[in-house]
Amino acid sequence: MSAEARAPHFVKSFERGLAVIRSFDAEHPARTLSEVAHTCDLTRAAARRLLLTLADLGYVHQDGRLFRLTPRVLELGYSYLSSYTLPQIAEPHLEQLVAQVRESSSLCVLDGDDIVYVARVPTRRIMTAAITVGTRFPAYVTSVGRVIIAHRPDEEIEVRLAQAELKPLTERTVTSPDALRAELRRVRRQGYAVVDQELEEGLRSVAAPVRDGGGEVVAAVNIAVHAGRNSVDSVRRDLLPPLLATVARIEADLRITNPGPVASPGSGTRRSSSSRRSPAPPA
């Protein structure tokens, strides 16, 4: 959120504290005070106060010059997962799907410009980066992200395309807004998305949308495979049918458990004709 768009109630210090937590990741599990200050665009004094406050609260551990997150930060994510029924509903169906196709499958939701993994059943590691619940990737370059965004209202899609930083992650990554718009049109028409080695070389994935009881697309399920074992044609022929069947079972259980709208990160429970069975994004 830009500074101009922030409401009067916005607490800048709280935003900075969350930024400090997010500065730690798989590539930087430990950081010095200077590194945190630089990453979060803070003064050393401000970074020090925030780190020591987080340490007092038990979220950060200091070891000499290095700071690390503690397991207590998992409570923040667990609060979301424990109050959100969709991952619990989906997981047994993902397990059944993985047992059938012998490939990894995940349930993801859209959060801002990223997709976030909220349930996952792996079979073998096929990506350089380890994927766990909570892992984030840019939505535009993933099958789950595209299949969710494709079913958003047209005006939202245009805003996303105008603001997106389409960086090439591989030689195959779609970086043209016009090309991505055309791909989203195709995804909305066909009801699924296939991404071929755009996120990482050697990785192919197919995803289908998950709708809540009101017909809103709130998540997506994917199957990820190694490109050396599965062609794009075989992904569509062999993996798409069981994926669609799995999504149908998840949606059936979701309607029984929660017949109304399901709020997902970054979406709310807004209804519009274009977010359910709407025409393709504008050309």
Side-chain angles (χ1 to χ4, degrees):
M1 180 184 295
S2 65
E4 295 77 8
R6 288 170 181 154
H9 62 256
F10 193 88
V11 181
K12 182 68 176 178
S13 59
F14 186 66
E15 178 192 34
R16 290 170 175 165
L18 292 175
V20 168
I21 292 175
R22 291 196 300 270
S23 71
F24 297 90
D25 55 26
E27 296 180 357
H28 307 93
R31 286 187 181 274
T32 65
L33 170 61
S34 297
E35 290 171 340
V36 171
H38 175 74
T39 302
C40 301
D41 195 22
L42 299 170
T43 64
R44 283 176 54 88
R48 181 176 182 275
R49 288 195 302 270
L50 290 168
L51 284 167
L52 293 180
T53 298
L54 289 169
D56 289 344
L57 294 172
Y59 293 109
V60 167
H61 171 70
Q62 184 177 4
D63 182 12
R65 297 177 59 250
L66 294 176
F67 293 86
R68 301 175 184 272
L69 297 182
T70 72
R72 188 167 190 177
V73 299
L74 295 174
E75 294 177 357
L76 303 176
Y78 181 75
S79 297
Y80 164 74
L81 289 175
S82 63
S83 63
Y84 192 49
T85 59
L86 181 53
Q88 288 84 354
I89 290 173
E91 190 161 356
H93 296 291
L94 297 185
E95 292 174 350
Q96 181 180 351
L97 175 62
V98 169
Q100 178 183 359
V101 301
R102 301 186 183 279
E103 300 288 356
S104 300
S105 180
S106 305
L107 174 78
C108 300
V109 297
L110 187 66
D111 184 20
D113 295 327
D114 296 336
I115 56 96
V116 182
Y117 286 71
V118 295
R120 176 167 171 77
V121 179
T123 55
R124 58 179 71 85
R125 182 166 174 174
I126 59 175
M127 287 192 65
T128 301
I131 299 177
T132 60
V133 170
T135 295
R136 308 172 73 94
F137 289 117
Y140 74 92
V141 78
T142 65
S143 60
V144 283
R146 288 183 185 175
V147 85
I148 297 174
I149 292 174
H151 291 85
R152 288 300 179 86
D154 293 341
E155 58 273 19
E156 179 180 335
I157 293 175
E158 289 305 314
V159 170
R160 287 180 176 276
L161 289 173
Q163 297 178 348
E165 295 184 32
L166 305 180
K167 299 179 181 179
L169 302 184
T170 74
E171 293 182 354
R172 298 171 181 260
T173 304
V174 174
T175 57
S176 161
D178 288 340
L180 185 55
R181 181 184 292 107
E183 177 62 19
L184 293 173
R185 290 170 61 88
R186 178 163 45 251
V187 168
R188 188 187 282 183
R189 286 195 304 269
Q190 65 192 15
Y192 66 90
V194 174
V195 169
D196 183 16
Q197 304 181 77
E198 294 188 45
L199 176 62
E200 182 172 306
E201 293 287 351
L203 177 71
R204 291 189 173 117
S205 65
V206 57
V210 176
R211 293 177 169 82
D212 65 12
E216 184 88 357
V217 173
V218 294
V221 173
N222 79 345
I223 298 175
V225 301
H226 194 284
R229 298 193 307 269
N230 301 84
S231 66
V232 172
D233 287 342
S234 70
V235 166
R236 290 195 176 98
R237 181 186 65 245
D238 301 329
L239 300 181
L240 181 59
L243 173 63
L244 295 176
T246 296
V247 166
R249 289 192 292 268
I250 293 172
E251 291 177 339
D253 283 356
L254 189 59
R255 285 193 295 270
I256 294 172
T257 305
N258 188 344
V262 175
S264 61
S267 66
T269 57
R270 177 180 50 188
R271 280 289 175 275
S272 73
S273 60
S274 60
S275 64
R276 292 196 292 269
R277 297 289 183 179
S278 52

